[in-house]
Amino acid sequence: MVGGGIGGLAAARGLQLAGWSVRVLERAADLESLGAGLSLFPNAVRALGALGVELPAGRLPGPGGIRARNGRWLSRSDPAAYPERYGAPLVAVHRASLQRVLLEALVPGTVMTGARVAEVRAGDGGPLVVRHDTEELGADLVVLADGAASGTRGLVTGGRPRPVHAGYTAWRGVMEAGPGTAVADGATESWGRGERFGIVPLADGRIYWFATANAPEGGRSPDGEHAELLRRFSGWHAPVPDVLRATDPGAVLRHDVYELLPHPRSYVRGRVVLLGDAAHVMSPNLGQGACQALEDAATLGAVLLPAGADVDAGLAAYDRARRPRARRIARRSAQIGRIAQLDGRFSSAARDHVIRWTPDLLTRRQLDDVLQWDVPARLG
């Protein structure tokens, strides 16, 4: 396993459940709990269930929806109906919480940090050979889960595809909920002209927030990202300015948004397989990046059970199950991003009007395609 992020750790868990001996090679010196919040939609919660991983208990998001920058509601949603409709709830957690439970689910010693993979090659009539900083390892299967900026993706896809800048950047942060900041229980996203701000209560009581703005690739704010956010969003509806002021300026993260273009023609080449962002970098507009990585992991474990069965048939089944679905969700997320980031006065006003008058039934049907998912049948 190349990469010890959420997808890599989850895939290691799935393969260990299937009877495989797994080694995770992570180039970082330690598994820092970087990142902010994650929305785990019912499809991801079901994937975690298939992996035998339980999330820490906590509060679930209440009613929320999309608002204009002045606070007017454009659409509303209530995830209370998710368990009955999709078989699992929506759970919002800090990335560190999910990373911790995945690590605890693995066989001790599974993860090797400080291991930068330099080469993956075919052995002399035997298994694959993975060479990293200090040794060479033989492997019957190599899973590439080293993220959006994957240095190994080309082993499966060749020179293309590659991450392409989506035209906007994203900031993220987490604040401690206190008596001075009144935040609703539900997740909300507010849309302006080329800018958005989202607020998501986490299960542990903290508040995760994110913001987007149209911006050139690689841009940075000369006096700090926190100051930039206050300039952009201090005039928005409550509690947006309060959430920003209550956030530690040094804890604000900024990353440009990317999409993988064109989508890979296959996630598999021989016994080497792509998983997570290495396979399908997608914009965050559906909140499905981590969710799709967890689906990948649960699917891979399912189709490769039992260990030693027909691996090639299992990998072909993985590719058939995962690639069309991930491509469809990535495309839809990109479309939503283009609409949400409209910055013209008339185009953004027309967008808001359409959202307000879109029937709830149509919205639910579109959501069904994303959230109604089951682990595929096992082979063998």
Side-chain angles (χ1 to χ4, degrees), residues 197-273:
F197 198 96
I199 299 174
V200 183
L202 299 181
D204 63 9
R206 290 181 290 176
I207 303 298
Y208 163 56
W209 59 263
F210 61 89
T212 67
N214 294 342
E217 184 178 14
R220 290 295 179 267
S221 305
D223 56 347
E225 304 306 329
H226 190 258
E228 175 70 13
L229 288 165
L230 288 174
R231 275 195 297 272
R232 288 180 177 273
F233 296 101
S234 61
W236 286 42
H237 68 83
V240 171
D242 295 332
V243 166
L244 285 174
R245 294 189 191 102
T247 300
D248 176 5
V252 175
L253 304 174
R254 176 175 178 172
H255 296 94
D256 288 332
V257 176
Y258 290 91
E259 299 159 2
L260 193 64
L261 296 174
H263 203 83
R265 294 183 178 180
S266 177
Y267 290 171
V268 176
R269 176 173 287 183
R271 297 287 180 88
V272 182
V273 57

Coordinates of all heavy atoms in Angstrom, one line a residue, residues 197-273:
F197 N -19.4 30.2 1.7 CA -18.9 29.9 3.1 C -19.8 28.8 3.7 O -21.0 29.0 3.7 CB -19.0 31.1 3.9 CG -18.1 31.0 5.2 CD1 -16.9 31.6 5.2 CD2 -18.6 30.4 6.3 CE1 -16.1 31.5 6.4 CE2 -17.9 30.3 7.5 CZ -16.6 30.8 7.5
G198 N -19.2 27.7 4.2 CA -19.9 26.6 4.8 C -19.6 26.5 6.2 O -18.5 26.7 6.7
I199 N -20.6 26.0 7.0 CA -20.5 25.8 8.4 C -21.0 24.4 8.8 O -22.2 24.1 8.4 CB -21.2 26.9 9.3 CG1 -20.6 28.3 9.0 CG2 -21.1 26.6 10.8 CD1 -21.3 29.4 9.7
V200 N -20.2 23.6 9.4 CA -20.7 22.2 9.7 C -20.3 21.9 11.1 O -19.2 21.8 11.5 CB -19.9 21.2 8.7 CG1 -20.4 19.8 9.0 CG2 -20.1 21.6 7.3
P201 N -21.4 21.6 12.0 CA -21.1 21.2 13.3 C -20.5 19.8 13.3 O -21.1 18.9 12.7 CB -22.5 21.3 14.0 CG -23.3 22.1 13.1 CD -22.8 21.9 11.7
L202 N -19.4 19.6 14.0 CA -18.8 18.2 14.1 C -19.4 17.4 15.2 O -20.0 18.0 16.2 CB -17.3 18.3 14.3 CG -16.5 19.1 13.2 CD1 -15.0 19.1 13.5 CD2 -16.8 18.4 11.8
A203 N -19.3 16.1 15.2 CA -19.9 15.2 16.2 C -19.3 15.5 17.5 O -20.0 15.2 18.5 CB -19.7 13.8 15.7
D204 N -18.1 16.0 17.6 CA -17.4 16.2 18.9 C -17.7 17.6 19.5 O -17.2 17.9 20.6 CB -15.9 16.0 18.9 CG -15.2 17.0 17.9 OD1 -15.9 18.0 17.5 OD2 -14.0 16.8 17.6
G205 N -18.6 18.4 18.9 CA -19.0 19.6 19.4 C -18.3 20.8 18.8 O -18.7 22.0 19.0
R206 N -17.2 20.6 18.1 CA -16.5 21.7 17.4 C -17.2 22.1 16.2 O -18.2 21.4 15.7 CB -15.1 21.3 17.2 CG -14.2 21.2 18.4 CD -12.8 20.9 18.1 NE -12.6 19.5 17.6 CZ -11.5 18.9 17.2 NH1 -10.4 19.7 17.2 NH2 -11.5 17.7 16.8
I207 N -16.8 23.2 15.6 CA -17.4 23.7 14.3 C -16.3 23.7 13.2 O -15.3 24.3 13.3 CB -17.9 25.1 14.5 CG1 -18.9 25.2 15.7 CG2 -18.5 25.6 13.2 CD1 -20.2 24.4 15.5
Y208 N -16.6 23.0 12.2 CA -15.8 23.0 11.0 C -16.4 24.0 10.0 O -17.6 24.1 9.8 CB -15.8 21.6 10.3 CG -15.3 21.5 8.9 CD1 -14.1 22.0 8.5 CD2 -16.2 20.9 7.9 CE1 -13.7 21.9 7.2 CE2 -15.7 20.8 6.6 CZ -14.5 21.3 6.2 OH -14.1 21.2 4.9
W209 N -15.5 24.8 9.4 CA -16.0 25.7 8.4 C -15.1 25.6 7.1 O -13.9 25.2 7.2 CB -16.0 27.1 8.9 CG -14.7 27.7 9.4 CD1 -14.2 27.7 10.7 CD2 -13.6 28.2 8.5 NE1 -13.0 28.2 10.7 CE2 -12.6 28.5 9.4 CE3 -13.5 28.4 7.2 CZ2 -11.4 29.1 8.9 CZ3 -12.3 29.0 6.7 CH2 -11.3 29.3 7.6
F210 N -15.6 26.1 6.0 CA -14.9 26.1 4.8 C -15.3 27.3 4.0 O -16.4 27.8 4.1 CB -15.0 24.8 3.9 CG -16.4 24.5 3.5 CD1 -16.9 25.0 2.3 CD2 -17.2 23.8 4.3 CE1 -18.2 24.8 1.9 CE2 -18.6 23.5 3.9 CZ -19.0 24.0 2.7
A211 N -14.5 27.8 3.1 CA -14.8 29.0 2.3 C -14.1 28.7 0.9 O -13.1 28.1 0.8 CB -14.3 30.3 2.9
T212 N -14.7 29.3 -0.1 CA -14.1 29.2 -1.5 C -14.2 30.6 -2.1 O -15.1 31.4 -1.8 CB -14.9 28.2 -2.4 OG1 -16.2 28.7 -2.7 CG2 -15.0 26.8 -1.8
A213 N -13.3 30.8 -3.1 CA -13.3 32.1 -3.8 C -12.6 31.8 -5.2 O -11.6 31.1 -5.2 CB -12.6 33.2 -3.1
N214 N -13.1 32.4 -6.2 CA -12.4 32.4 -7.5 C -11.1 33.0 -7.4 O -11.0 34.2 -6.9 CB -13.3 33.1 -8.6 CG -14.6 32.3 -8.9 OD1 -14.7 31.2 -8.5 ND2 -15.5 33.0 -9.5
A215 N -10.0 32.3 -7.8 CA -8.7 32.9 -7.6 C -7.7 32.1 -8.5 O -7.9 30.9 -8.8 CB -8.2 32.7 -6.1
P216 N -6.6 32.7 -8.9 CA -5.6 32.1 -9.8 C -4.9 31.0 -9.0 O -4.9 31.0 -7.7 CB -4.6 33.2 -10.1 CG -5.4 34.4 -9.9 CD -6.3 34.2 -8.8
E217 N -4.4 30.0 -9.7 CA -3.7 28.9 -9.0 C -2.4 29.4 -8.3 O -1.7 30.3 -8.8 CB -3.3 27.9 -10.1 CG -2.6 26.6 -9.6 CD -2.3 25.6 -10.7 OE1 -2.4 26.0 -11.9 OE2 -2.0 24.5 -10.4
G218 N -2.2 28.9 -7.2 CA -1.0 29.2 -6.4 C -1.0 30.5 -5.7 O 0.0 30.9 -5.1
G219 N -2.1 31.2 -5.6 CA -2.2 32.5 -4.9 C -2.1 32.3 -3.4 O -2.5 31.3 -2.8
R220 N -1.5 33.3 -2.8 CA -1.5 33.4 -1.3 C -1.7 34.9 -0.9 O -1.4 35.8 -1.6 CB -0.1 32.9 -0.8 CG 0.1 31.4 -1.0 CD -0.9 30.6 -0.1 NE -0.7 29.2 -0.2 CZ -1.4 28.4 -1.1 NH1 -2.2 29.0 -2.0 NH2 -1.2 27.1 -1.2
S221 N -2.2 35.0 0.3 CA -2.6 36.4 0.8 C -1.3 37.0 1.5 O -0.8 36.3 2.4 CB -3.7 36.3 1.8 OG -4.8 35.7 1.1
P222 N -0.9 38.2 1.1 CA 0.3 38.7 1.7 C 0.3 39.0 3.2 O 1.3 38.8 3.8 CB 0.5 40.0 0.9 CG -0.8 40.4 0.4 CD -1.5 39.1 0.1
D223 N -0.8 39.3 3.7 CA -0.9 39.5 5.2 C -1.6 38.4 5.9 O -2.1 38.5 7.0 CB -1.6 40.8 5.5 CG -3.0 40.9 4.9 OD1 -3.3 40.1 4.0 OD2 -3.7 41.9 5.2
G224 N -1.7 37.2 5.3 CA -2.2 36.0 6.0 C -3.6 35.7 5.5 O -4.4 36.5 5.1
E225 N -3.9 34.4 5.5 CA -5.2 33.9 5.0 C -6.4 34.3 5.9 O -7.5 34.5 5.4 CB -5.1 32.4 4.8 CG -4.0 31.9 3.9 CD -4.0 32.5 2.6 OE1 -5.1 32.9 2.1 OE2 -2.9 32.7 2.0
H226 N -6.1 34.3 7.2 CA -7.2 34.8 8.1 C -7.6 36.2 7.8 O -8.9 36.5 7.8 CB -6.7 34.6 9.6 CG -7.8 34.8 10.6 ND1 -8.0 35.9 11.3 CD2 -8.8 33.9 11.0 CE1 -9.0 35.8 12.1 NE2 -9.5 34.6 11.9
A227 N -6.7 37.1 7.6 CA -7.0 38.5 7.3 C -7.8 38.5 6.0 O -8.7 39.3 5.8 CB -5.7 39.3 7.2
E228 N -7.4 37.7 5.0 CA -8.0 37.7 3.7 C -9.5 37.3 3.8 O -10.4 37.8 3.2 CB -7.3 36.7 2.8 CG -7.9 36.5 1.4 CD -7.9 37.7 0.5 OE1 -7.1 38.7 0.8 OE2 -8.6 37.7 -0.5
L229 N -9.7 36.3 4.7 CA -11.1 35.8 4.9 C -11.9 36.8 5.5 O -13.1 37.0 5.2 CB -11.1 34.5 5.7 CG -10.5 33.3 5.0 CD1 -10.2 32.2 6.0 CD2 -11.5 32.8 4.0
L230 N -11.4 37.5 6.5 CA -12.2 38.6 7.2 C -12.5 39.7 6.2 O -13.6 40.3 6.2 CB -11.4 39.2 8.3 CG -11.3 38.3 9.6 CD1 -10.4 38.9 10.6 CD2 -12.7 38.0 10.2
R231 N -11.6 40.0 5.3 CA -11.9 41.0 4.3 C -13.1 40.6 3.4 O -14.0 41.3 3.0 CB -10.7 41.3 3.4 CG -9.7 42.3 4.0 CD -8.8 42.8 2.9 NE -7.9 41.7 2.4 CZ -6.8 41.4 3.0 NH1 -6.3 42.0 4.0 NH2 -6.1 40.4 2.4
R232 N -13.0 39.3 3.0 CA -14.0 38.8 2.1 C -15.4 38.6 2.7 O -16.5 38.8 2.1 CB -13.6 37.5 1.5 CG -12.4 37.6 0.5 CD -12.0 36.2 -0.1 NE -11.0 36.3 -1.1 CZ -11.2 36.5 -2.4 NH1 -12.4 36.6 -2.8 NH2 -10.2 36.6 -3.3
F233 N -15.4 38.1 4.0 CA -16.7 37.6 4.5 C -17.2 38.3 5.8 O -18.2 37.9 6.3 CB -16.5 36.1 4.9 CG -16.2 35.2 3.7 CD1 -14.9 34.8 3.4 CD2 -17.3 34.8 2.9 CE1 -14.7 34.0 2.3 CE2 -17.0 34.0 1.8 CZ -15.7 33.6 1.5
S234 N -16.5 39.4 6.2 CA -17.0 40.1 7.4 C -18.4 40.7 7.2 O -19.1 41.0 8.2 CB -16.0 41.1 7.8 OG -15.8 42.1 6.8
G235 N -18.8 41.0 6.0 CA -20.1 41.6 5.7 C -21.2 40.6 5.5 O -22.3 41.0 5.2
W236 N -20.9 39.3 5.6 CA -21.9 38.3 5.4 C -22.8 38.1 6.6 O -22.5 38.6 7.7 CB -21.2 36.9 5.0 CG -20.7 37.0 3.6 CD1 -20.0 38.0 3.0 CD2 -20.8 35.9 2.6 NE1 -19.6 37.6 1.7 CE2 -20.1 36.4 1.4 CE3 -21.3 34.6 2.6 CZ2 -20.0 35.6 0.3 CZ3 -21.2 33.8 1.5 CH2 -20.6 34.3 0.3
H237 N -23.8 37.3 6.4 CA -24.8 37.1 7.5 C -24.2 36.4 8.7 O -23.2 35.6 8.6 CB -26.0 36.3 7.0 CG -25.7 34.9 6.7 ND1 -25.6 33.9 7.6 CD2 -25.4 34.3 5.5 CE1 -25.3 32.7 7.0 NE2 -25.2 32.9 5.7
A238 N -24.7 36.6 9.9 CA -24.3 35.8 11.1 C -24.6 34.4 10.9 O -25.6 34.0 10.3 CB -25.0 36.4 12.3
P239 N -23.8 33.5 11.4 CA -22.6 33.7 12.3 C -21.3 33.7 11.5 O -20.3 33.4 12.1 CB -22.7 32.6 13.3 CG -23.2 31.4 12.4 CD -24.2 32.0 11.4
V240 N -21.3 33.9 10.2 CA -20.1 33.7 9.4 C -18.9 34.6 10.0 O -17.8 34.1 10.2 CB -20.3 34.1 7.9 CG1 -19.0 34.1 7.1 CG2 -21.3 33.0 7.3
P241 N -19.1 35.9 10.2 CA -18.0 36.7 10.7 C -17.5 36.2 12.1 O -16.3 36.2 12.4 CB -18.5 38.1 10.7 CG -19.7 38.1 9.8 CD -20.3 36.8 9.9
D242 N -18.5 35.8 12.9 CA -18.2 35.4 14.3 C -17.4 34.1 14.3 O -16.4 33.9 15.0 CB -19.5 35.2 15.1 CG -20.2 36.4 15.3 OD1 -19.6 37.5 15.4 OD2 -21.5 36.4 15.5
V243 N -17.7 33.2 13.3 CA -17.0 31.9 13.2 C -15.5 32.2 12.8 O -14.6 31.6 13.4 CB -17.6 31.0 12.2 CG1 -16.7 29.9 11.8 CG2 -19.0 30.5 12.8
L244 N -15.3 33.1 11.9 CA -14.0 33.4 11.5 C -13.2 34.1 12.6 O -12.0 33.8 12.9 CB -14.0 34.4 10.3 CG -14.3 33.7 8.9 CD1 -14.5 34.7 7.8 CD2 -13.3 32.7 8.6
R245 N -13.8 35.0 13.3 CA -13.1 35.7 14.4 C -12.7 34.8 15.5 O -11.7 35.0 16.2 CB -13.9 36.9 14.9 CG -14.1 38.0 13.9 CD -14.8 39.2 14.6 NE -15.2 40.2 13.5 CZ -16.5 40.3 13.1 NH1 -17.4 39.5 13.6 NH2 -16.8 41.2 12.2
A246 N -13.5 33.7 15.7 CA -13.3 32.8 16.8 C -12.3 31.7 16.4 O -12.0 30.8 17.2 CB -14.6 32.1 17.2
T247 N -11.8 31.7 15.2 CA -10.8 30.7 14.7 C -9.4 31.2 14.9 O -9.1 32.4 14.6 CB -11.1 30.4 13.2 OG1 -12.4 30.0 13.0 CG2 -10.1 29.4 12.7
D248 N -8.5 30.3 15.3 CA -7.1 30.6 15.5 C -6.5 31.0 14.1 O -6.6 30.1 13.2 CB -6.4 29.4 16.1 CG -4.9 29.6 16.2 OD1 -4.4 30.7 15.9 OD2 -4.2 28.6 16.5
P249 N -6.0 32.2 13.9 CA -5.5 32.5 12.5 C -4.4 31.6 12.0 O -4.3 31.3 10.8 CB -4.9 33.9 12.8 CG -5.7 34.5 13.9 CD -5.9 33.3 14.8
G250 N -3.6 31.0 12.9 CA -2.6 30.1 12.5 C -3.1 28.7 12.1 O -2.3 27.9 11.6
A251 N -4.4 28.4 12.3 CA -4.9 27.1 12.0 C -5.7 27.1 10.7 O -6.3 26.1 10.4 CB -5.8 26.7 13.1
V252 N -5.7 28.2 10.0 CA -6.4 28.3 8.7 C -5.6 27.6 7.6 O -4.4 27.9 7.4 CB -6.7 29.8 8.3 CG1 -7.4 29.9 7.0 CG2 -7.6 30.4 9.4
L253 N -6.3 26.7 6.9 CA -5.6 26.0 5.8 C -6.1 26.6 4.5 O -7.3 26.9 4.3 CB -6.0 24.5 5.8 CG -5.6 23.8 7.1 CD1 -6.1 22.4 7.1 CD2 -4.1 23.8 7.4
R254 N -5.3 26.6 3.5 CA -5.7 27.1 2.1 C -5.1 26.1 1.1 O -3.9 25.8 1.1 CB -5.2 28.5 1.8 CG -5.5 28.9 0.4 CD -5.2 30.4 0.1 NE -5.4 30.7 -1.3 CZ -5.4 32.0 -1.8 NH1 -5.0 33.0 -1.0 NH2 -5.6 32.2 -3.0
H255 N -6.0 25.6 0.2 CA -5.5 24.7 -0.9 C -6.3 25.1 -2.1 O -7.6 25.3 -2.0 CB -5.8 23.3 -0.5 CG -5.0 22.8 0.7 ND1 -5.4 22.8 2.0 CD2 -3.7 22.3 0.7 CE1 -4.5 22.4 2.8 NE2 -3.5 22.1 2.1
D256 N -5.7 25.1 -3.2 CA -6.4 25.2 -4.5 C -7.2 24.0 -4.8 O -6.9 22.9 -4.3 CB -5.4 25.5 -5.6 CG -4.8 26.9 -5.6 OD1 -5.4 27.8 -5.1 OD2 -3.6 27.0 -6.1
V257 N -8.3 24.1 -5.5 CA -9.2 23.0 -5.9 C -8.8 22.5 -7.2 O -8.6 23.2 -8.2 CB -10.6 23.5 -5.9 CG1 -11.6 22.4 -6.3 CG2 -11.0 24.0 -4.5
Y258 N -8.7 21.2 -7.3 CA -8.3 20.5 -8.5 C -9.3 19.4 -8.9 O -10.0 18.9 -8.1 CB -6.9 19.8 -8.4 CG -5.8 20.9 -8.3 CD1 -5.4 21.3 -7.0 CD2 -5.1 21.3 -9.4 CE1 -4.4 22.3 -6.9 CE2 -4.1 22.3 -9.3 CZ -3.7 22.7 -8.1 OH -2.7 23.7 -8.0
E259 N -9.3 19.1 -10.2 CA -10.0 18.0 -10.8 C -9.1 17.1 -11.6 O -8.2 17.7 -12.3 CB -11.2 18.5 -11.6 CG -12.2 19.3 -10.8 CD -13.1 20.2 -11.6 OE1 -12.9 20.2 -12.9 OE2 -13.8 21.0 -11.1
L260 N -9.3 15.8 -11.7 CA -8.4 15.0 -12.5 C -9.0 14.8 -13.9 O -10.1 14.4 -14.1 CB -8.3 13.6 -11.8 CG -7.2 12.7 -12.4 CD1 -5.9 13.3 -12.1 CD2 -7.4 11.3 -11.7
L261 N -8.2 15.3 -14.9 CA -8.7 15.3 -16.3 C -7.6 14.8 -17.2 O -6.5 15.1 -17.1 CB -9.1 16.7 -16.7 CG -10.3 17.3 -16.0 CD1 -10.5 18.8 -16.4 CD2 -11.6 16.5 -16.2
P262 N -8.0 13.9 -18.2 CA -9.3 13.2 -18.2 C -9.4 12.1 -17.2 O -8.3 11.8 -16.6 CB -9.3 12.6 -19.7 CG -7.9 12.4 -19.9 CD -7.1 13.5 -19.3
H263 N -10.5 11.6 -17.0 CA -10.6 10.5 -16.0 C -9.9 9.3 -16.5 O -9.9 9.0 -17.7 CB -12.1 10.1 -15.8 CG -12.4 9.5 -14.5 ND1 -12.6 10.2 -13.3 CD2 -12.5 8.2 -14.1 CE1 -12.8 9.3 -12.3 NE2 -12.7 8.1 -12.8
P264 N -9.2 8.5 -15.6 CA -8.4 7.4 -16.1 C -9.3 6.4 -16.9 O -10.5 6.2 -16.5 CB -7.9 6.8 -14.8 CG -7.9 7.9 -13.8 CD -9.0 8.8 -14.2
R265 N -8.7 5.8 -17.9 CA -9.4 4.7 -18.6 C -9.5 3.4 -17.8 O -10.3 2.6 -18.1 CB -8.7 4.5 -19.9 CG -8.7 5.7 -20.9 CD -8.1 5.4 -22.2 NE -8.2 6.5 -23.1 CZ -7.7 6.5 -24.4 NH1 -7.1 5.4 -24.8 NH2 -7.9 7.5 -25.1
S266 N -8.6 3.3 -16.9 CA -8.7 2.1 -16.0 C -8.0 2.5 -14.7 O -7.1 3.3 -14.6 CB -7.9 0.9 -16.6 OG -7.9 -0.2 -15.7
Y267 N -8.4 1.8 -13.6 CA -7.8 2.0 -12.3 C -6.8 0.9 -12.0 O -6.2 0.8 -11.0 CB -8.8 2.0 -11.2 CG -9.7 3.2 -11.1 CD1 -10.8 3.2 -10.2 CD2 -9.5 4.3 -11.8 CE1 -11.7 4.3 -10.1 CE2 -10.4 5.4 -11.7 CZ -11.4 5.4 -10.9 OH -12.3 6.4 -10.8
V268 N -6.6 0.0 -13.0 CA -5.8 -1.2 -12.8 C -4.9 -1.4 -14.0 O -5.2 -1.3 -15.1 CB -6.7 -2.5 -12.6 CG1 -5.9 -3.7 -12.5 CG2 -7.6 -2.3 -11.4
R269 N -3.6 -1.8 -13.7 CA -2.7 -2.3 -14.7 C -1.9 -3.4 -14.0 O -1.1 -3.2 -13.1 CB -1.7 -1.2 -15.1 CG -0.6 -1.7 -16.1 CD 0.2 -0.6 -16.7 NE -0.5 0.2 -17.6 CZ 0.1 1.2 -18.3 NH1 1.3 1.5 -18.2 NH2 -0.7 1.9 -19.2
G270 N -2.2 -4.6 -14.5 CA -1.6 -5.8 -13.9 C -2.1 -5.9 -12.5 O -3.2 -6.0 -12.2
R271 N -1.1 -6.0 -11.6 CA -1.4 -6.1 -10.1 C -1.2 -4.8 -9.4 O -1.0 -4.8 -8.2 CB -0.6 -7.2 -9.5 CG -0.8 -8.7 -10.1 CD -2.2 -9.2 -9.6 NE -2.4 -10.5 -10.1 CZ -2.1 -11.6 -9.5 NH1 -1.4 -11.6 -8.4 NH2 -2.4 -12.8 -10.0
V272 N -1.3 -3.7 -10.1 CA -1.1 -2.4 -9.6 C -2.5 -1.7 -9.7 O -3.1 -1.7 -10.8 CB 0.0 -1.6 -10.2 CG1 0.1 -0.2 -9.6 CG2 1.3 -2.3 -10.2
V273 N -3.0 -1.1 -8.6 CA -4.4 -0.6 -8.6 C -4.4 0.8 -8.0 O -3.7 1.1 -7.0 CB -5.3 -1.5 -7.9 CG1 -4.9 -1.8 -6.5 CG2 -6.8 -1.0 -7.9

